[in-house]
Amino acid sequence: MRRLTTLFPSEFLEEHAEELGVVERDRKLQIPVFVWAFVFGFAAGERRTLAGFRRSYNSTADEPISPGGFYQRLTPTLAEYFRDLVEHGLDEVAVPDTVDVDIDRFSDVMIADGTVLRLHEFLADQFEARHEEQAGAKLHLLHNATEQTIERIDVTDEKAHDSTLFKTGSWLENRLVLFDLAYFKYRRFARIDENGGSFVSRLKQNANPVITDELREWRGRAIPLEGKQLRDVLDDLDRTYIDVEVEVEFKRGPYNGTRSLDTKRFRVVGVRDEDADDYHLYVTNLSREEFFPADLAQIYRCRWEVELLFRELKTQYDLDEFDTSNEHVVKILLYAALLSLLVSRDLLDLVTEQADDELVFPPERWAATFRSHAQLILHELGEHLGYSPPPLLERLIEDAQKIHKQRPILQETLATATQPRCES
């Protein structure tokens, strides 16, 4: 339990909640329990409900909170507070990676990616989707594979393009960035190169640059490629690798109201996929002297780490199943899911430290284990923090009783409906 209270000390949770105005100074709401109830309440159970989070709180806090008192705390300020906790946790918790290629020459390897979250259709105005009569949010991550941390998180509507959130600048110097196709733009690649950074990206299907030079010599009657467009010769090639220099044309950013055309030379590498009888094509500014085609393909596989994070959030925490039409509740639940993931990974680090060296803990198997023990961990954490919840019987009575006097339960409704018939 000390590991968790070191990650999020109670004093820090309380002070920051007061700074933002999440709680009043009388502290009727026990904010450390409130936070932990969302962290472990999100992890536990097959389906997350707001009532379930309230029950998690009431099973741990010194005094229970009423449904009205609980729901009125679910504000935009609480969403901001949870986001701050996520950013704090990201600075403390490592996210494992599997980078095997020698990339010590870079200060950091960065991975940019995003994933779509389907929302209640009533949120279509707040979270505009690509299709009408739908609502969707997008979670964007900038993952530092070297430091094993997530450096940036953004939440937008689905229509917001991933690339608009990636800003080039001097921070890119001596960093390697890995992109999926959502970020493909020659002007972006040029800006990275001009800022002293490096990149590897898949080549878009409709990209057909002109080959200016072959970077590998082939013996025999090899097809000459110089001066030809890449896509025009792919079907005629049967090489294991393609390694060429290409020239691309793009528009620079606006200056004095105009956008000038420019050209840039990059390297394009193809690695043959024998099963698909096709090539995986990558565009990069990394030199052949330092990285062979197979090296680039292996480096690009590092992106799979972010895909695994998204898959874990969706499969283990049902991140894309938000049954609410409240905009800020969506954000609260999103950040609660990320907090659960961070706490889970922090405990995985502890388990790995304590276990024998030869033991292996696959992330998804660990996530399922963490979920199955979430309520037990929350109970022990509450005891560690010195909370004394009401007796179990009192909590059962509190949670099971009818809340709204005006709303009849099913038996009452049936009795009222059948009474006239019985009397007649």
Side-chain angles (χ1 to χ4, degrees):
M1 297 301 110
R2 188 176 296 110
R3 182 75 170 229
L4 297 178
T5 55
T6 300
L7 177 62
F8 292 113
S10 294
E11 184 177 1
F12 163 73
L13 295 175
E14 291 168 346
E15 289 179 352
H16 193 55
E18 286 187 2
E19 289 173 5
L20 292 181
V22 175
V23 294
E24 302 83 3
R25 291 195 176 275
D26 59 12
R27 296 187 179 180
K28 291 181 179 178
L29 181 73
Q30 294 173 310
I31 196 65
V33 182
F34 192 75
V35 171
W36 292 119
F38 269 92
V39 169
F40 292 105
F42 208 102
E46 292 302 319
R47 190 170 183 81
R48 289 92 184 136
T49 64
L50 296 179
F53 291 122
R54 185 179 72 89
R55 283 192 287 269
S56 291
Y57 176 89
N58 287 346
S59 69
T60 311
D62 291 335
E63 295 183 9
I65 187 173
S66 67
F70 181 82
Y71 298 137
Q72 72 179 12
R73 307 286 181 174
L74 307 180
T75 64
T77 304
L78 181 64
E80 180 185 354
Y81 175 69
F82 273 20
R83 180 192 170 92
D84 289 349
L85 296 186
V86 170
E87 292 182 349
H88 171 82
L90 291 175
D91 292 335
E92 304 293 330
V93 180
V95 181
D97 71 276
T98 55
V99 183
D100 295 326
V101 180
D102 182 13
I103 50 176
D104 291 340
R105 57 152 292 191
F106 304 108
S107 61
D108 295 292
V109 177
M110 313 298 295
I111 306 171
D113 206 352
T115 189
V116 173
L117 312 173
R118 190 58 54 213
L119 304 178
H120 196 289
E121 60 183 8
F122 288 170
L123 287 171
D125 290 338
Q126 295 88 343
F127 293 97
E128 193 175 359
R130 294 186 181 278
H131 303 287
E132 294 183 1
E133 300 182 357
Q134 287 188 355
K138 185 173 284 187
L139 173 64
H140 308 261
L141 297 181
L142 183 61
H143 173 46
N144 187 324
T146 304
E147 298 294 331
Q148 302 183 20
T149 58
I150 299 173
E151 292 206 357
R152 183 183 175 93
I153 288 178
D154 290 288
V155 180
T156 67
D157 59 32
E158 183 185 351
K159 289 194 74 173
H161 203 280
D162 300 74
S163 63
T164 60
L165 295 173
F166 187 90
K167 306 299 182 184
T168 56
S170 59
W171 70 273
L172 288 161
E173 185 175 0
N174 202 32
R175 282 179 157 178
L176 170 64
V177 188
L178 309 181
F179 294 112
D180 74 352
L181 291 176
Y183 296 84
F184 188 95
K185 188 176 290 186
Y186 290 136
R187 179 161 61 94
R188 174 171 296 107
F189 300 155
R191 292 287 297 142
I192 293 173
D193 186 67
E194 290 156 5
N195 277 281
S198 303
F199 70 90
V200 180
S201 169
R202 289 293 295 269
L203 188 70
K204 263 192 173 181
Q205 188 67 33
N206 61 354
N208 195 17
V210 176
I211 299 171
T212 57
D213 191 18
E214 292 193 63
L215 303 180
R216 175 174 177 173
E217 294 183 2
W218 294 88
R219 297 178 181 177
R221 300 175 61 184
I223 299 174
L225 303 181
E226 187 174 340
K228 299 179 180 178
Q229 290 188 284
L230 178 67
R231 300 282 180 185
D232 297 345
V233 296
L234 278 184
D235 291 341
D236 300 326
L237 300 179
D238 194 31
R239 308 171 181 180
T240 304
Y241 301 111
I242 300 171
D243 200 351
V244 296
E245 180 189 75
V246 300
E247 185 173 84
V248 301
E249 186 178 74
F250 61 94
K251 288 185 177 181
R252 288 285 183 179
Y255 181 75
N256 288 337
T258 61
R259 300 182 64 184
S260 60
L261 283 176
D262 202 352
T263 60
K264 192 84 172 178
R265 293 192 177 188
F266 296 124
R267 179 186 177 198
V268 168
V269 165
V271 179
R272 189 165 190 82
D273 181 354
E274 296 296 343
D275 294 332
D277 192 25
D278 200 357
Y279 288 96
H280 294 299
L281 296 172
Y282 308 93
V283 57
T284 182
N285 63 342
L286 296 177
S287 69
R288 176 176 173 80
E289 288 73 21
E290 293 181 280
F291 297 95
F292 292 126
D295 295 331
L296 292 177
Q298 190 172 354
I299 288 174
Y300 193 77
R301 291 192 192 102
C302 298
R303 286 197 62 263
W304 183 239
E305 287 303 311
V306 174
E307 298 294 339
L308 290 178
L309 287 178
F310 288 144
R311 188 170 75 179
E312 182 175 335
L313 285 167
K314 289 186 174 183
T315 60
Q316 296 297 331
Y317 301 109
D318 295 334
L319 190 62
D320 56 350
E321 295 183 13
F322 292 109
D323 190 18
T324 177
S325 58
N326 189 307
E327 177 183 1
H328 52 264
V329 170
V330 167
K331 293 182 179 179
I332 289 170
L333 295 179
L334 172 60
Y335 295 132
L338 292 171
L339 284 171
S340 296
L341 176 64
L342 289 171
V343 169
S344 169
R345 292 299 176 89
D346 197 39
L347 290 179
L348 176 57
D349 286 344
L350 176 62
V351 168
T352 304
E353 291 170 7
Q354 299 297 319
D356 294 337
D357 292 340
E358 66 272 12
L359 295 180
V360 178
F361 302 95
E364 291 195 1
R365 182 175 178 84
W366 165 254
T369 303
F370 172 73
R371 283 191 57 199
S372 66
H373 291 79
Q375 286 297 336
L376 177 60
I377 298 172
L378 178 61
H379 176 73
E380 292 198 9
L381 179 60
E383 290 186 346
H384 177 77
L385 293 172
Y387 294 106
S388 301
L392 177 60
L393 182 59
E394 290 185 20
R395 284 182 276 133
L396 291 174
I397 294 172
E398 174 71 22
D399 287 340
Q401 65 179 290
K402 185 175 69 174
I403 300 174
H404 303 283
K405 294 182 179 180
Q406 299 88 348
R407 185 182 299 169
I409 59 177
L410 179 61
Q411 293 90 330
E412 293 174 349
T413 305
L414 291 174
T416 303
T418 57
Q419 187 175 5
R421 297 182 184 177
C422 295
E423 290 176 353
S424 61

